[in-house]
Amino acid sequence: MPVAKDEFDDLRPLSFRDPAEVLDEDKLYTIYEISRLLQGLDADADLDGETEAILLDWAIPWMLTNSEEFVFAEPRTDDEPGYYGVDV
């Protein structure tokens, strides 16, 4: 349900950083690690499942919007996620 803007004290513009500002060009990351880095956390920060899901809600559209700036590698094993990095 929509909420009135005046219910919030702090409204800020929505802006996303470029992938090269977030990721090291010499490394590949999982989507989970990228979602943490986008929020200024360590890539290996320990998060509960609910928080991780919220961070993924931000990371996935960001990656799709910037898809031309990414490369990816298939998972090394079946139980591992894929890896993404900056296309340099």
Side-chain angles (χ1 to χ4, degrees):
M1 163 145 306
V3 177
K5 286 182 183 179
D6 61 5
E7 290 188 29
F8 298 90
D9 295 328
D10 184 24
L11 295 176
R12 296 171 281 161
L14 181 61
S15 62
F16 293 104
R17 297 181 288 165
D18 291 327
E21 295 175 301
V22 179
L23 308 176
D24 183 325
E25 68 181 38
D26 296 326
K27 294 183 180 179
L28 294 174
Y29 304 85
T30 67
I31 184 69
Y32 306 101
E33 293 166 335
I34 292 170
S35 69
R36 289 175 178 91
L37 292 170
L38 279 171
Q39 298 299 319
L41 302 171
D42 290 334
D44 60 353
D46 188 29
L47 302 174
D48 62 82
E50 186 175 325
T51 301
E52 186 138 73
I54 291 168
L55 297 186
L56 287 174
D57 285 347
W58 284 90
I60 292 168
W62 178 78
M63 289 185 69
L64 291 173
T65 299
N66 294 290
S67 62
E68 69 283 350
E69 297 183 48
F70 284 100
V71 295
F72 74 95
E74 296 289 337
R76 295 175 289 192
T77 63
D78 288 342
D79 62 341
E80 170 177 270
Y83 288 87
Y84 305 88
V86 178
D87 185 13
V88 277

